Amino acid sequence: MNFINKYLFTRFLTVNIDYKFKFTSNNAMQILIIFLISSLLNIPARASVRTMKDIDSMMVNLSHPDKVKSLLWVEASSLSDINRFPSHKHFFVTNEMEDEILKPLTNLTLARRLDVSLNPSSSQELPDLSYLATITEEDLLKGYFQFLRSLGLALNYQYLILPTTDNLREQAVIRKLQQFDPDYFIDPTMIHSGVPKKKEAKTLFDHHDFWLVGADSYARAESMIEKLDDKLLLPQKDHLIRNALIGSFVDNRSAEPRMSNRLRMELLKSSVALIETRPFLPLARDTVCFISQNPYGDMANMLRKYAYVITDLEEIFQSTAPVISDYNPMLPGYFGERAIIYIGTMDQFDPKFFNAGLIIPHEEDEYSYIIPQQLFGAIPVSGAITDNYHVLNGFENRSLQAWGKLGFAPSHSVGLNQKHLDSIRSIIKDGILQNAFPGCQLAMAVGGSVIFNETFGHLTYDQLIPVYPSTIFDLASVTKVASTLMMAMKLYEDQQLDIHESISHYLPRYAASNKKDITIKSLMSHQAGLLPYVPFWKRVLSGDFLDPFYYASPKDELMDQRSYGIEPSSLLRDSLSQWILTSSLLKYDSVPYYSYSDIGFMILQEVLEEIAGESMDSYLNNHFYKPLGLYRTSFNPKKSDINLFEIAPTEYDSYYRSEQIWGDVHDRNAAILDGVAGHAGLFSNARDMLVLFQMILQGGSYGGERFISQETLDVFNQRYFPDNRRGLGWDKKSEIVRNVSLHASDESFGHTGFTGTMVWVDPQYELVFVFLSNRIHPNANNRKLNELDIRTKIQDIVYEAIQAKNR
């Protein structure tokens, strides 16, 4: 039997004597056997008493002096102090005692006084009292208090005694801790220290919950308890006595928790305090001046992602842009009336030099990207100033609402280290080497910050034109969620579209068709019984050419360049609409089954345009793309004056157009509709898609403007049919088809496109994932992107990194 078990065995025997338990001989023998087995197997002795029924039995049979002793703490600064009192079970340990010494003592009730570090663990760095005092968000504080309590219990402390302070905001934090759990976070005034006189002892517990004595005073205190017996009153202390018994006999401890990265980051963001003489922030400038001892350090590099940064002193004096100074209170001169913004701790702030500041409680590496986010309105500022109020005459400490725009953060902030990044780049480069696609863009945002945005490869396999961040790709079926779904949700929110209504309600000519009873909800869920695909484009051909009456003009007929400027005639549009109307349905019994179909979104486009009285591309530009600043997102990009070499080509169409498709929609049915279709036709780049789907992740708002309500998003982002993974427009996670990483949450959603594109949003991880490629260049039969599982492998790396960081 090792030392610890010998120690526990000794304490077990004394407990049976001290508490005068009235066990039957059988019960006593059972407990003794359980204890001996636990000693041999190294199981904590407290496991022998497990139920509240046992605790209630102890309460009934506990003598009055023993009840008092359960509220008597002996101060201990070493294990030898505890060993001096083998029959006593309640100790107040000083900060000199290490956690590792106390962890094995599972049959004791331990209490510990916290100092201003407010940290019961010697193995973790946690925010101190002054740091927490800067935070004004109550829910965030409660989340941290919950963690702090879990940590204390895991370290074997049944109580944590709060410190005292003269700082008003720190006092407020202490009060909030007491209110959060007054039975765990103990007010020091509720503890009586020392051995009182007999008269005082009788009413000691009228004013206090606990009694603390030094090791040398224990004998006197014990003698007083025995002599006074029930004269030492215990008004309404049963719950504390019960807690003491539970702490001594019921081992509810878990593994020591670690503060999650998510909680830590929220604390860091919320700890920054804004001070201004007049409103300067957030900055709405494309140029800033930066004075720093490290003009090419992390802070400067992050600022450069938002604006052009001037660091040369002569240029700074010539500029009118705001001046930012980090941790450097000595400015070299007068800069006029423009904003002079200080970044750093309060002790270095000099109000003579600055008229605004972002004040942090301590220097931390993460502020190098948090502060730029706050300067430019990507995240809010809500912290409070906790000291040095006298220097802030003329300054206002106020909160700042975020504009809700994407910010930037280093990849390591979410757990993606260099090894992860190398693996992601290796997967993509290997895909290019294996001709899965000639080039691509990959962008990701986590927690409202872009953490990865890179381009790879070239537009074609001859490697003449690289893929740039500005390069746009044919999104194919991502159009369904980036365009048609957006319009549907907006019209639904404006009470113009009812998802439960039939097609014929909006398009009366469908009333006599086989599709008259199909609802909008069925269309959008691919549960309408429509054929997956019908090559309507074949009907417009006569040999190798279009039937003459389908050309919009004699010039079009003469040129017959179907990828470079041909426009369909109104007769062709009408014909396509009629072909869709009369197209066959799937064969099914009574209820249509799930079958993915482009035709449903072609019909949906017609419904939406009929309701809006406006073309889909015009509606989307007015309500979404232009307000969001999506200047690289459009149908028919060549008509938007985008250079051909800024567009990724798709396949060489040997069937319909007999041309290399470059700058025009790849989908042949969408081409008949002049490139604007409900199922395909949109072009964009990764940056624009990040913004669009970040708006969705943020509950429909972005840049201070609301586009869609969260309630509307919830209506469309749910499954309505059994055995159908789709929402209304959205694709959802399926472990059967493995359309996304298995690490993705069940609440995640997105869509893929035939051309090699994918967008995916995961609210649980605050993740937006965008992958754009032209995998069908020059041949659409190239399936290596899926065969190599490139997108899912990348997602696996990202999810695993985030999960590891958040633990």
Side-chain angles (χ1 to χ4, degrees), residues 581-593:
L581 173 68
T582 58
S583 62
S584 301
L585 297 177
L586 294 168
K587 293 181 180 180
Y588 52 87
D589 294 330
S590 57
V591 179
Y593 52 85

Side-chain angles (χ1 to χ4, degrees), residues 467-496:
V467 175
Y468 292 106
S470 58
T471 302
I472 64 173
F473 291 79
D474 182 338
L475 300 183
S477 284
V478 170
T479 301
K480 292 181 174 72
V481 295
S483 294
T484 320
L485 175 59
M486 297 292 165
M487 186 174 181
M489 289 193 290
K490 181 64 176 173
L491 291 173
Y492 171 88
E493 185 152 300
D494 293 342
Q495 299 182 352
Q496 295 179 271

